[in-house]
Each structure stands twice: as structure tokens, then as C-alpha cells.
């Protein structure tokens, strides 16, 4: 029986029927990781021993009839999720040797659910990047074409799920970091509403934008994982105390669902193949009985500029704690200030430094009003665009990325080109809305494409239902990447 | 030229909550270094702050006691700077939207009348940790203790309404008294629970514009505060009178030399890059909460002083002294409830209880071995004539030493006053018989000897006889003689 590349639901059925044990599963995944990770570089740390131990515990739980939906399922964690006793690098040298003494809330919930942790997944340094090329642990390669990037910053998570190196993975999304790599790797990636999932134990990039979410083989799996990790957490003051809807039994039903197509998302620079695929996907929803109409989100064009003030501003403050005093890298200097300088000069890569400088500038006395404050005002306008749009429609359908996966090195020296990769994903972060990437076919060259669905705050159930209905109807085959 | 000094104070007060402002760690002082820490107050990656409601409640108490307006909506902001005692690289404080504004409190002005000192704002923030510098000479490292990191503080910023070092000290004294009364701060300046920074400028008398100011950091006693302000004003006046200019800067007070020294100039000042903390939602205060806090508010020192004068008929000076701490005032009132002579109780507290406490290094009055009940009981014995005022002093000392109640002390030591006239009479006769020369001299007109005879009788009774009765009897016997 081929165990890798299955959905969580398939694996659940095998486990519950006793056809395989979690230990069997984990061994199969570890074998696959051993074979493919050297070429894909999806994992920074593989915790084989820990995984087997967790698998055996899960098996005991399954045998005693205490299994939950995720018990015994092997998953990977983006390496900015704090894991007790397992080093957490954030893709950066500055956290060299950092082994956290605690679990983040989401990690603790998965642990309680009995999920098995295979290891920590590669990512752009501090989640800053759209290609996974800023990782201090080397780039991740796209399983569909190892000369191409997997997207970022959750590139390791997307590549691992696409290549069958984990049944599911967690990523984080600040400006598209779950949805964009999901699109480029051909998997489902869900960014929940801001406040839906606790950020306690998520190493902060931009606190007002960051959100943890699942990357999975299909839509239904995303619902399973989200249900397990979502919900109020008293340790995160920005987590919202709202009940989590049941997400494990989605109905593929979209009759009468109002689907908005924003005209501002079909612009110059959008790859014609991607545009055609997205329009075909919208057509599928229409065929299923959804009402499709055009909507306008007039401030879309300001979103990237707004994001590149707010996110770096928050990051400049969030990353101040990496000073060589308490943990991680320390490069001793002549005195305290010199130690700070040398440590941070050696510990951070160029993209992180660029954003710290941008953010520091934007918050400086005399510039604050012109940059940070103005950006917050524009952010409110972007959110208002969505609020109006969601008075007319239930979901919005649009491209996730302007292009399919690009080549390694193609944009790494041109930050502006790189930043434009997130042009369609950033607005949902600014507005705090849930969004999902759904695979919608392949280019002529065989690269995956995805389209994005967005919904109003806390409407993950509608979002997943629409995505699920599309997925069922479109019958997109999930060919496994040939892996070089 | 006549000069005027203008002072505004920034007072940091540590709040006495059990736990820290943004995590559940104990906020108590004096524990082993780094024994009261967690991922949040250590600033570990991924940890997030959660506001302690008690901190807001305590701040609301301060609002009501200092006549501040409570903002229905306030925010926390990050103050960004690098220092090893600041684990996150920023301090969570409040900036643009503080929780309290526009308050005041009253001090005694130069003319002896009441003077209002305005309070610009009061905001909540977290404390930083502490650096420990090794005592080994030449050590090239320092250690960081994060127990204090994240301990709640309020910063109280006054208007530049203060005009003299004395007024500044008086303002801090009043403020401290209020905070201690409210039970929100222990007011301990030695341990840093109350820290004072001063903004000082001078200007020619009559000028309304403010001069260039300097800020003096960390004035941690009333004495240093007064000394530093006096020195700094004089330094600025000297500068201006000799054609110099005051430079806006931060200065330190050298407690050894009694002078202020430049620490950093305006140009070297940090740009703190304040911005709203995205990890914490705005603080929204429900008016019903303020009402609940108001209902639980203790009587404040100024109200108590007024009441002690009106209700107990005490002179202002006594009321002032007894109300300097809530425990002292409570002690007084507990005694007065049992012995209804407020002035006598006040005199005994001020004259004896406080004197004894001071001898022992001024521990809180709650630790006094003589309880209010015992003090009142002793005064009852005096009133009933069972002991004399003089004997009362002996009884008091014994109660202080042993903690025993007055009746027991009187009984055990046999200190009950001898009121039996016949017994005293016999003693008087004895004394007169033993001193015939003195009797003769008295009768010859040397009436000053009366004291001698009374003294002899008192000594014979070990002070237990009623001195007035002795006096009367001696006089009678001597007058009646040949």
C-alpha cells in the first residue's frame, strides 16, 4: 500500500481500521524524507526519533479507542512555530542553537490531538520573502521543477506537502506566505481570519498581519487541520473568543452563493495562462449554481506599498530582541554596542536587514506621520473596500499569484519584482480576512496554478465550502511531482 | 535679578499587584535572580503579552485619588531601544493615548495655603530587568536579572507647577502617601518602588515663558530630590547670569558630591520610535468599573486629616502627623474607640509609641508590641485613678517590653495606686517623725521643703501613692503641728 501522498482522511481510515499503524506511516514518511529532502531541502530539522516516539504513543491511543481526527497523522511545522525541546531557527542564523523551553499554543493543540511531528520546515528568513531564497539554510526547491522556487515564505511547508514529505503542514501568512507557495506548489493553503488562530508561540514577523494556517493536499484536509488549531487562546490578546464552526464535514454546495470577481485583480503582469485558469475556475463555480458578478476593490493598487511600510515597521521592533544577550547567536565585540552591531550584522541576512531598515525609518521621529500613520489610514481604506464588497457577495474569487513558479535566482536581486508576487495576497492580510489557495490546473510546462477565494471575517466555513465544491466538480487530478 | 525655578516631576511607582503586568509571574521583590520569569517576561521569540486587569484596577484607584480623567479608550505603545535589561528590545508603555489625564493634587504652598499641582498624565507600563555588575575588579561581563522585567509601573507626570525644592518634596510626599493609602504601591524609595525624575528650568520672576530645561534622573530620596533641585537651579542661574546658556540635556545627580552632571545631550537622545503595540488591543474602560472602584476606595489622607480635626477635635498638626500613614491613623482610631479622649490618645501615640518605634528603626506601627487596645486600657486605668500618669509611663514601658495587657502589668508589678488615706497618713507621720529638723525649718517659713516631704512619701510607696493626696496630707499635718 502506498502510504505517502494520501489525504489525512485516507490515512485516518487506514489507522482506524488498523490496516497500518502510525509508526508504519511515520517510517514511510521518514524514508521518503531521507530520499527526497536532500534535493528539495524542505526540512531544516527532521526529528525522526521524536516522530517515532510520538507515533507509538498515537498508536496506543488509537488502540484504546481514544483517537481524535489527527491522532497518528504525520505533519511538518514551519520553523517559526515554537517547539519545546526542538530547535527553532526561523530560517535565520541569529537563532543559531536556540531550543525553546516551551510549546506555542498551536503546537500544543496538535500535540494534544495526537498529531506526529516529523520536523521543522524551511522558510524564508523570519518569513520575509516570496521564494524561500532568503533562508539561511539554503533555498527550498519546487518539487515540480527543482530549478524553480516553491514560493515563500512557507516554501518548505508547501514543497513538503506537494512532494509527500508530510501529510499536512503548518505555515504562516503575513502577506501571502501560505497561499502564494501553495499556489506555486499545487497544494491547498489556507490563511484564517486574523484572530482565529492563536499567535502565541509563532515567532513574530508583523504582529498585526501574521496568522498561522494549514497547507494540505486538498480542501477537506485544510478544514480538518484548521478545526484542530483554531479557537480562542487567553495567551494571545488578539485571538478572538468566537466558536469554531464544524469544518470536518463540508458540503459541496454553492447554489445561490454570490461570487465576486474584483476587476482590480486582473491587471497587466498577470500571466495569461494563470488568468485563463482562474476564469475557468470561476466558470466551474457558476456552473454549480453560484451567482458570479464583478466587484470593485478600488484601493487594491495601494496595498503592496502600504504593506511594505506596516510589516517592516512592526518587524523592526519585533526583531529587536535578537541582540546576542539572551539566546541565539552572539558575536562578541569591543563593548556592548559593538556586540549588538556584530551580532546583528552576522546573524541577519540582507532581506531581513533591508526590512529592519525600512521599518526603522518609517517609525522615526519626523517620518512617522508621513509613512506609518498614512499607511494605517490606507490600510483602513483597503479593509473598507472589502467590507463594502462583502455586502454584495459571499466570497471573492481571484488569482493567488501573478505567475506560476519562477526560476531560482530570477528575482532575488530585484526586491520590487519579488514584492509584487504578493500583490493579490497582501490585501486580505491588511483587512484581516480569510483566504485560501485552491489548485486549478497546470501550465503547458506542467507547473501548478492556483486561484484564491476570500471571504468576510470568520467566514472560513463558507470559504471552505466554496473551495470544496470547486475541487469536487473540477476533478483536478493530483499527479505526484516526478521529483527530478 | 530675581529668578524663579520651574519644576515638573515624573514619578515612577511600582504597583503592588501579585503578578506582573503582562504575564502570570510573581511581581514580588527580592527573590533569587531569574526565579520569577517565563517566556513572556524573558522576551522569548513567540511569547505575547496579556494585560493584568488588576493593574488597570489599581490605576483607576489612583485616578480617583488624584482627580484624573479616565480615558474610555487608551492604548499601549512600544518604546524601542536597545539595552541588555530590556529583553524584547522595547518597553511596553503608553504614549499618545494614556489611560489618565488632567488631574491634580494639593500641597502646602510657600504662603502656607493650599496649592494645586497639576498632573498632566498617568500611564501604565512595564519595568525593565536589572543589571548585576560583578564585584570582581576587572570583570568583563555583567549579569541580567529579569525578575523585575514586566513588573507593573505607573508613571505620573506633573505639570511644571512646582516652584521650590521644598514644594517638590512635598508633592512627592503627598503622592507617595496617596499611593500607599490606596494600597497600590509600597512607596519604598530605597528599593526603587518609587523613583523620581525632575525637569528643571529657571526664568526671571514675572516671565511667563519657560526657560530651557534639563532632566535629572533617578532622585531616590527626599533629601536628594531637594539637594539636586537646589543645586541645578543655582547652576542654571549662574550660567544665565554670566552670559551662558542652559543646554537641554539629561543629567545625573552625584549623591557624594551633591552636584548634577551631564549624562547625554538632546542630540544624543534616543528616538524611541513609539508606535501602538499590535499585540495588545486598546484598553476600554466601562464606567461601571470606575463606579465599583470608587465604592471600594479607602478614605484618602486629606479627607482623613479634615475628619480628625472635625470629629476628634485634634489640632491640625496632630491630625497631619497621625494621618501620614493609614495604619497609624487606624491605630489611633482603634484606641479612641475604646478610650474616648482623642487628645490623650494622640499625645501618647506621638510621644511614646512613635518614639519607641523610631528607636527600633521605625517598623510599621502594626508591629508595635503595645496594641491600641492595651494603650486604651492603660489610659482607662489613669482616668479611673488606678494608676498615676507617672506610673503609666512605667506600665507603658513594661507593656512595650513584654506585650502584656496593662491590668496584668499593674497586677504583677504591684503598681496600683494607693488611695487608702489612712495608709498614706501613717507614712506621712513616719516621714515627719524621721525629719524633725526639716519640719522645724518648714514651720519657720521654709515652705519650699514641701516637695522634699512629698518626695520622701512617694519614694516610700514606690510612686504608687496618689501624689495629690500625699500633697494634701503633708500640708495638713505640717500646718496642724505645733
Amino acid at each position: 500500500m502506498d502510504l505517502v501522498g494520501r489525504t489525512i482522511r485516507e490515512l485516518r481510515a487506514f489507522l482506524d481500521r488498523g490496516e497500518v499503524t502510525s509508526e508504519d506511516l511515520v517510517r514511510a514518511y521518514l524514508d521518503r524524507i531521507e530520499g527526497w529532502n536532500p534535493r528539495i531541502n524542505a526540512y531544516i530539522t527532521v526529528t525522526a526519533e521524536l516522530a517515532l516516539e510520538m507515533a507509538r504513543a498515537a498508536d496506543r491511543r488509537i488502540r484504546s479507542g481514544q483517537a481524535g481526527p489527527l491522532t497518528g497523522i504525520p505533519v511538518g511545522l514551519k520553523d517559526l512555530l515554537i517547539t519545546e525541546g526542538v530547535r527553532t531557527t526561523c530560517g535565520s542564523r541569529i537563532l543559531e542553537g536556540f531550543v525553546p523551553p516551551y510549546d506555542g499554543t498551536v503546537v500544543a493543540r496538535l500535540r494534544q490531538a495526537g498529531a506526529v511531528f516529523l520536523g521543522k520546515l524551511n522558510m524564508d528568513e523570519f518569513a520575509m520573502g516570496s521564494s524561500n531564497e532568503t533562508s539561511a539554510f539554503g533555498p527550498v526547491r519546487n518539487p515540480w521543477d527543482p530549478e524553480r522556487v516553491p514560493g515563500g515564505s512557507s516554501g518548505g511547508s508547501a514543497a513538503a506537502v506537494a512532494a509527500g514529505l508530510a501529510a499536512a503542514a503548518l505555515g504562516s501568512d503575513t502577506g501571502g506566505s501560505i497561499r502564494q507557495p501553495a499556489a506555486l506548489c499545487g497544494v491547498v493553503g489556507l490563511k484564517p481570519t486574523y484572530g482565529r488562530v492563536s499567535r502565541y508561540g509563532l515567532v513574530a514577523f508583523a504582529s498585526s498581519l501574521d496568522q498561522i494556517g494549514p497547507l494540505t493536499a486538498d480542501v477537506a484536509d485544510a478544514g480538518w487541520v484548521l478545526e484542530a488549531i483554531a479557537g480562542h487562546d487567553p495567551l494571545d490578546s488578539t485571538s478572538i473568543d468566537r466558536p469554531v464552526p464544524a469544518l470536518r464535514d463540508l458540503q459541496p454546495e454553492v447554489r445561490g452563493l454570490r461570487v465576486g470577481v474584483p476587476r482590480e485583480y486582473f491587471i497587466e503582469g498577470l500571466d495569461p495562462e494563470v488568468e485563463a485558469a482562474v476564469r475557468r475556475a470561476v466558470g466551474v463555480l457558476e456552473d454549480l449554481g453560484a451567482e458570479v458578478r464583478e466587484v470593485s476593490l478600488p484601493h487594491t493598487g495601494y496595498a503592496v506599498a502600504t504593506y511594505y511600510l506596516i510589516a517592516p515597521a512592526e518587524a523592526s521592533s519585533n526583531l529587536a530582541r535578537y541582540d546576542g544577550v539572551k539566546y541565539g547567536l552572539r558575536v562578541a565585540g569591543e563593548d556592548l554596542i559593538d556586540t549588538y552591531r556584530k551580532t546583528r550584522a552576522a546573524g541577519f541576512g540582507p532581506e531581513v536587514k533591508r526590512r529592519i531598515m525600512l521599518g526603522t525609518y518609517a517609525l522615526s521621529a519626523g517620518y512617522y506621520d508621513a509613512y506609518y500613520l498614512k499607511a494605517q489610514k490606507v490600510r483602513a481604506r483597503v479593509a473598507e473596500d472589502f467590507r463594502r464588497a462583502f455586502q454584495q457577495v459571499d466570497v471573492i474569487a481571484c488569482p493567488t499569484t501573478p505567475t506560476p513558479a519562477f526560476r531560482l535566482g530570477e528575482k532575488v536581486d530585484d526586491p520590487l519584482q519579488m514584492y509584487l508576487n504578493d500583490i493579490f495576497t497582501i490585501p486580505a492580510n491588511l483587512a484581516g480576512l480569510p483566504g485560501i489557495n485552491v489548485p486549478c490546473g497546470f501550465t503547458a510546462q506542467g507547473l501548478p496554478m492556483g486561484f484564491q477565494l476570500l471571504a468576510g471575517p470568520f467566514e472560513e466555513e463558507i470559504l471552505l465550502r466554496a473551495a470544496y465544491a470547486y475541487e469536487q466538480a473540477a476533478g483536478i487530478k493530483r499527479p505526484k511531482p516526478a521529483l527530478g | 535679578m530675581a529668578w524663579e525655578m520651574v519644576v515638573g516631576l515624573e514619578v515612577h511607582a511600582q504597583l503592588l499587584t501579585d503578578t506582573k503586568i503582562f504575564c502570570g509571574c510573581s511581581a514580588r521583590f527580592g527573590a533569587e535572580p531569574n526565579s520569577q520569569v517565563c517566556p513572556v517576561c524573558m522576551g522569548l521569540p513567540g511569547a505575547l503579552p496579556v494585560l493584568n486587569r488588576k493593574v488597570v484596577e489599581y490605576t483607576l484607584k489612583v485616578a480617583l485619588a488624584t482627580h484624573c480623567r479616565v480615558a474610555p479608550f487608551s492604548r499601549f505603545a512600544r518604546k524601542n531601544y536597545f539595552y541588555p535589561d530590556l529583553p524584547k528590545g522595547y518597553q511596553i508603555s503608553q504614549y499618545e493615548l494614556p489611560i489618565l489625564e488632567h488631574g491634580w493634587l494639593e500641597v502646602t504652598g510657600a504662603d502656607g495655603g493650599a496649592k494645586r499641582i497639576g498632573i498632566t498624565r498617568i500611564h501604565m507600563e512595564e519595568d525593565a530587568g536589572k543589571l548585576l555588575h560583578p564585584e570582581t575588579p576587572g570583570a568583563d561581563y555583567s549579569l541580567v536579572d529579569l525578575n523585575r522585567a514586566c513588573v507593573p509601573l505607573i508613571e505620573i507626570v506633573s505639570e511644571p507647577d512646582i516652584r521650590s525644592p521644598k514644594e517638590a518634596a512635598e508633592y512627592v510626599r503627598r503622592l507617595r502617601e496617596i499611593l500607599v493609602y490606596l494600597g497600590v504601591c509600597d512607596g519604598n524609595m530605597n528599593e526603587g518602588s518609587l523613583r523620581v525624575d525632575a525637569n528643571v528650568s529657571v526664568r526671571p520672576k514675572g516671565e511667563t515663558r519657560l526657560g530651557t530645561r534639563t532632566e535629572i534622573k533617578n532622585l531616590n530620596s527626599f533629601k536628594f530630590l531637594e539637594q539636586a533641585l537646589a543645586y541645578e537651579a543655582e547652576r542654571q542661574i549662574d550660567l544665565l547670569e554670566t552670559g551662558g546658556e542652559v543646554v537641554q540635556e539629561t543629567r545625573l545627580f552625584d549623591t557624594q558630591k551633591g552636584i548634577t552632571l551631564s549624562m547625554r545631550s538632546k542630540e544624543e537622545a534616543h528616538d524611541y520610535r513609539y508606535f501602538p503595540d499590535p499585540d495588545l488591543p486598546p484598553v476600554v474602560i466601562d464606567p461601571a468599573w470606575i463606579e465599583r472602584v470608587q465604592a471600594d476606595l479607602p478614605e484618602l489622607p486629606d479627607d482623613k486629616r479634615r475628619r480628625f480635626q472635625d470629629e476628634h477635635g485634634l489640632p491640625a498638626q496632630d491630625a497631619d502627623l497621625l494621618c501620614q500613614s493609614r495604619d497609624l491613623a487606624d491605630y489611633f482610631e482603634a484606641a479612641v474607640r475604646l478610650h474616648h479622649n482623642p487628645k490623650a490618645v494622640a499625645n501618647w501615640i506621638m510621644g511614646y509609641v512613635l518614639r519607641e518605634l523610631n528607636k527600633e528603626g521605625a517598623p510599621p506601627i502594626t508591629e508595635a508590641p503595645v496594641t491600641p487596645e492595651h494603650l486604651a486600657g492603660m489610659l482607662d486605668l489613669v482616668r479611673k485613678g488606678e494608676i498615676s500618669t507617672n506610673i503609666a509611663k512605667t506600665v507603658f514601658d513594661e507593656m512595650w517590653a513584654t506585650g502584656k495587657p496593662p491590668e496584668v502589668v499593674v497586677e504583677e508589678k504591684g503598681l496600683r495606686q494607693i488611695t487608702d488615706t489612712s495608709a498614706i497618713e501613717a507614712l506621712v507621720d513616719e516621714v515627719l517623725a524621721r525629719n524633725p529638723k526639716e519640719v522645724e525649718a518648714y514651720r519657720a517659713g521654709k515652705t519650699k521643703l514641701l516637695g522634699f516631704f512629698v518626695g520622701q512619701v512617694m519614694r516610700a510607696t514606690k510612686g504608687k501613692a496618689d501624689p495629690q493626696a500625699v500633697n494634701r496630707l503633708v500640708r495638713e499635718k505640717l500646718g496642724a503641728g505645733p
Side-chain angles (χ1 to χ4, degrees):
Chain A
M1 178 167 24
D2 195 2
L3 293 178
V4 295
R6 303 275 188 176
T7 65
I8 294 173
R9 287 148 9 261
E10 288 166 337
L11 297 179
R12 173 85 271 134
F14 294 155
L15 290 167
D16 287 348
R17 291 198 298 262
E19 290 165 25
V20 295
T21 63
S22 177
E23 191 174 345
D24 297 335
L25 263 184
V26 167
R27 286 190 192 283
Y29 273 94
L30 288 174
D31 279 353
R32 180 131 176 127
I33 290 168
E34 204 179 305
W36 291 109
N37 198 53
R39 291 150 85 171
I40 304 295
N41 199 27
Y43 281 90
I44 292 175
T45 306
V46 178
T47 51
E49 284 307 310
L50 177 71
L52 288 167
E53 207 176 290
M54 290 178 91
R56 288 189 281 267
D59 284 330
R60 285 193 293 276
R61 192 163 151 183
I62 293 166
R63 280 195 302 274
S64 70
Q66 307 286 306
L70 298 183
T71 307
I73 304 295
V75 300
L77 304 170
K78 186 177 181 179
D79 206 15
L80 46 43
L81 294 168
I82 292 287
T83 41
E84 182 176 353
V86 176
R87 77 166 176 166
T88 301
T89 69
C90 229
S92 182
R93 272 205 68 198
I94 202 131
L95 276 171
E96 203 168 85
F98 175 61
V99 178
Y102 77 106
D103 267 343
T105 297
V106 162
V107 170
R109 284 186 182 175
L110 284 185
R111 215 186 270 281
Q112 262 164 17
V116 176
F117 302 154
L118 294 168
K120 306 296 293 283
L121 294 160
N122 205 344
M123 55 183 283
D124 279 299
E125 185 179 7
F126 280 99
M128 297 174 187
S130 306
S131 67
N132 224 300
E133 291 165 294
T134 72
S135 170
F137 297 85
V140 177
R141 292 174 182 269
N142 194 314
W144 297 94
D145 177 355
E147 294 310 308
R148 291 179 188 266
V149 303
S153 65
S154 310
S157 303
V161 174
L165 308 187
L170 289 186
S172 68
D173 191 316
T174 306
S177 281
I178 288 174
R179 292 160 290 159
Q180 185 258 12
L184 270 45
C185 290
V187 300
V188 168
L190 170 63
K191 179 199 101 70
T193 309
Y194 186 79
R196 178 62 99 184
V197 178
S198 170
R199 293 186 298 113
Y200 188 79
L202 164 69
V203 179
F205 160 15
S207 313
S208 74
L209 300 160
D210 297 342
Q211 193 65 193
I212 300 170
L215 292 101
T216 50
D218 69 5
V219 172
D221 275 5
W224 279 48
V225 177
L226 179 60
E227 199 185 290
I229 63 171
H232 179 240
D233 177 13
L235 296 178
D236 174 3
S237 311
T238 64
S239 104
I240 309 288
D241 194 359
R242 280 175 79 117
V244 179
L247 297 171
R248 274 190 293 121
D249 190 19
L250 300 168
Q251 298 306 310
E253 177 55 73
V254 290
R255 259 173 302 177
L257 190 81
R258 298 168 303 168
V259 177
V261 179
R263 72 173 72 99
E264 291 82 3
Y265 281 59
F266 293 83
I267 51 171
E268 207 190 308
L270 175 60
D271 180 279
E273 270 189 290
V274 173
E275 174 169 358
V278 173
R279 293 209 187 273
R280 270 198 307 278
V282 173
V284 169
L285 287 172
E286 195 162 21
D287 291 345
L288 289 170
E291 293 171 22
V292 175
R293 66 181 73 165
E294 194 179 70
V295 292
S296 176
L297 300 165
H299 294 90
T300 301
Y302 302 107
V304 172
T306 301
Y307 174 87
Y308 276 99
L309 287 168
I310 293 172
E314 292 180 8
S316 71
S317 175
N318 283 331
L319 272 60
R321 68 189 64 193
Y322 309 107
D323 58 5
V325 172
K326 305 163 295 275
Y327 44 73
L329 182 72
R330 176 190 295 172
V331 182
E334 309 260 305
D335 53 23
L336 178 65
I337 299 292
D338 196 40
T339 299
Y340 285 158
R341 286 206 179 109
K342 290 205 161 91
T343 299
R344 290 168 66 86
F348 291 134
E351 183 60 29
V352 171
K353 285 177 187 157
R354 177 157 38 237
R355 297 205 197 182
I356 289 174
M357 284 187 274
L358 269 174
T360 302
Y361 186 79
L363 290 176
S364 297
Y367 298 99
Y368 179 86
D369 288 1
Y371 294 115
Y372 186 77
L373 203 62
K374 178 67 79 53
Q376 289 293 8
K377 287 177 182 165
V378 178
R379 180 179 186 174
R381 297 284 184 94
V382 171
E384 177 60 17
D385 280 357
F386 280 108
R387 204 187 57 78
R388 283 170 201 263
F390 283 119
Q391 285 172 350
Q392 302 162 44
V393 297
D394 301 305
V395 295
I396 284 172
C398 59
T400 308
T401 59
T403 64
F406 46 93
R407 291 183 182 283
L408 274 129
E410 191 180 325
K411 297 184 181 179
V412 76
D413 295 323
D414 187 348
L416 279 182
Q417 269 308 305
M418 189 70 92
Y419 296 172
L420 285 173
N421 254 285
D422 296 330
I423 190 165
F424 302 136
T425 44
I426 280 172
N429 296 85
L430 293 175
L433 301 175
I436 190 170
N437 173 74
V438 188
C440 65
F442 291 84
T443 64
Q445 277 187 296
L447 295 173
M449 296 182 291
F451 81 112
Q452 181 176 218
L453 288 169
L454 303 172
F458 300 99
E459 300 290 5
E460 281 88 354
E461 199 270 334
I462 293 178
L463 192 69
L464 283 166
R465 181 151 51 87
Y468 186 53
Y470 164 80
E471 190 184 59
Q472 295 292 302
I476 300 274
K477 287 276 179 298
R478 288 189 297 109
K480 271 196 214 124
L483 289 175
Chain B
M1 196 187 326
W3 295 87
E4 174 179 62
M5 76 186 295
V6 177
V7 175
L9 296 179
E10 292 169 15
V11 177
H12 284 90
Q14 211 174 76
L15 298 183
L16 272 178
T17 52
D18 292 337
T19 56
K20 296 183 177 182
I21 180 169
F22 297 124
C23 66
C25 290
S26 167
R28 288 282 160 254
F29 178 83
E32 279 291 295
N34 296 312
S35 63
Q36 295 175 168
V37 294
C38 73
V40 177
C41 56
M42 286 192 288
L44 291 190
L48 295 171
V50 177
L51 178 60
N52 180 350
R53 268 179 74 87
K54 258 297 190 257
V55 171
V56 182
E57 188 189 306
Y58 281 15
T59 309
L60 292 179
K61 287 188 185 191
V62 177
L64 295 168
T66 56
H67 318 94
C68 278
R69 197 170 60 82
V70 178
F73 178 96
S74 73
R75 280 213 84 108
F76 283 99
R78 293 185 184 178
K79 180 179 180 178
N80 296 285
Y81 66 95
F82 284 95
Y83 205 63
D85 67 5
L86 192 69
K88 297 188 292 295
Y90 58 83
Q91 178 195 25
I92 305 179
S93 180
Q94 295 194 298
Y95 185 56
E96 281 180 325
L97 297 169
I99 183 162
L100 310 181
E101 283 183 293
H102 310 302
W104 53 266
L105 61 83
E106 228 166 56
V107 301
T108 312
D111 58 0
K115 177 180 172 180
R116 269 186 193 185
I117 306 294
I119 291 173
T120 316
R121 56 183 278 157
I122 299 180
H123 69 249
M124 305 174 280
E125 61 185 26
E126 60 177 341
D127 209 341
K130 214 164 87 181
L131 291 188
L132 305 168
H133 304 290
E135 281 164 23
T136 338
D140 61 347
Y141 65 93
S142 293
L143 299 170
V144 187
D145 176 8
L146 293 178
N147 282 351
R148 203 180 64 185
C150 218
V151 162
L153 298 177
I154 49 173
E155 181 177 339
I156 303 147
V157 182
S158 89
E159 290 286 303
D161 288 345
I162 295 162
R163 294 290 174 268
S164 71
K166 197 169 152 282
E167 222 169 76
E170 162 94 345
Y171 167 83
V172 176
R173 214 168 266 130
R174 293 287 168 187
L175 187 59
R176 179 178 176 278
E177 194 177 74
I178 288 173
L179 297 173
V180 174
Y181 254 73
L182 292 171
V184 302
C185 176
D186 66 19
N188 193 327
M189 293 176 91
N190 292 335
E191 287 171 8
S193 308
L194 203 72
R195 315 197 269 270
V196 182
D197 304 333
N199 288 297
V200 189
S201 64
V202 296
R203 63 186 174 191
K205 250 201 151 66
E207 173 64 65
T208 51
R209 283 170 305 176
L210 292 168
T212 305
R213 70 188 154 87
T214 58
E215 184 182 10
I216 315 173
K217 286 271 179 202
N218 272 327
L219 298 167
N220 289 343
S221 81
F222 291 107
K223 194 177 101 192
F224 295 154
L225 172 64
E226 291 196 53
Q227 281 179 1
L229 291 181
Y231 174 85
E232 180 60 17
E234 205 167 308
R235 188 188 71 87
Q236 293 187 9
I237 292 167
D238 280 353
L239 269 175
L240 296 171
E241 283 186 340
T242 53
E245 250 179 52
V246 175
V247 181
Q248 188 177 337
E249 60 183 354
T250 304
R251 298 179 71 85
L252 271 181
F253 183 60
D254 182 328
T255 54
Q256 301 289 312
K257 297 185 184 139
I259 60 172
T260 65
L261 298 165
S262 180
M263 189 174 143
R264 59 171 177 259
S265 71
K266 189 187 173 190
E267 286 68 36
E268 296 166 289
H270 295 293
D271 176 358
Y272 290 120
R273 306 189 314 279
Y274 282 102
F275 74 108
D277 191 334
D279 288 331
L280 289 160
V283 181
V284 179
I285 308 287
D286 177 3
W289 194 6
I290 303 177
E291 279 169 34
R292 283 200 301 278
V293 171
Q294 174 84 68
D296 286 343
L297 214 60
E299 185 179 33
L300 292 168
D302 280 346
D303 298 333
K304 209 185 266 294
R305 286 197 173 91
R306 230 164 285 135
R307 188 169 61 77
F308 274 29
Q309 293 178 50
D310 297 348
E311 197 176 294
H312 298 305
L314 292 181
Q317 220 178 340
D318 291 9
D320 204 46
L321 190 84
L322 291 174
C323 292
Q324 66 187 345
S325 99
R326 205 162 123 185
D327 286 337
L328 181 57
D330 287 350
Y331 186 100
F332 166 78
E333 293 210 288
V336 165
R337 260 193 298 280
L338 300 167
H339 180 79
H340 313 285
N341 182 346
K343 183 58 189 158
V345 172
N347 287 345
W348 272 90
I349 292 176
M350 296 185 298
Y352 292 89
V353 179
L354 292 181
R355 186 193 65 194
E356 291 302 318
L357 281 175
N358 285 337
K359 274 190 209 160
E360 292 167 19
I365 192 153
T366 45
E367 286 169 27
V370 174
T371 64
E373 292 73 25
H374 293 174
L375 182 67
M378 184 197 80
L379 291 172
D380 279 348
L381 293 178
V382 174
R383 186 170 44 80
K384 285 188 258 169
E386 292 184 25
I387 55 172
S388 67
T389 308
N390 252 336
I391 288 292
K393 289 167 192 165
T394 311
V395 173
F396 180 86
D397 288 342
E398 188 63 19
M399 292 198 299
W400 194 273
T402 62
K404 289 178 180 167
E407 302 77 19
V408 174
V409 169
V410 167
E411 210 52 55
E412 280 180 5
K413 297 267 158 184
L415 293 173
R416 199 169 301 281
Q417 187 156 272
I418 301 167
T419 44
D420 176 357
T421 328
S422 59
I424 300 176
E425 244 184 288
L427 282 169
V428 171
D429 288 341
E430 212 182 295
V431 166
L432 294 185
R434 251 194 287 129
N435 299 285
K437 273 189 199 148
E438 284 76 6
V439 172
E440 208 166 311
Y442 178 89
R443 288 187 176 140
K446 221 174 166 189
T447 50
K448 273 188 189 155
L449 281 168
L450 178 71
F452 166 76
F453 297 118
V454 173
Q456 292 289 310
V457 177
M458 291 304 288
R459 195 167 309 142
T461 62
K462 296 199 179 92
K464 289 182 291 186
D466 177 356
Q468 276 169 356
V470 174
N471 215 298
R472 184 171 46 79
L473 285 168
V474 170
R475 222 185 272 274
E476 273 173 26
K477 296 268 179 192
L478 285 170

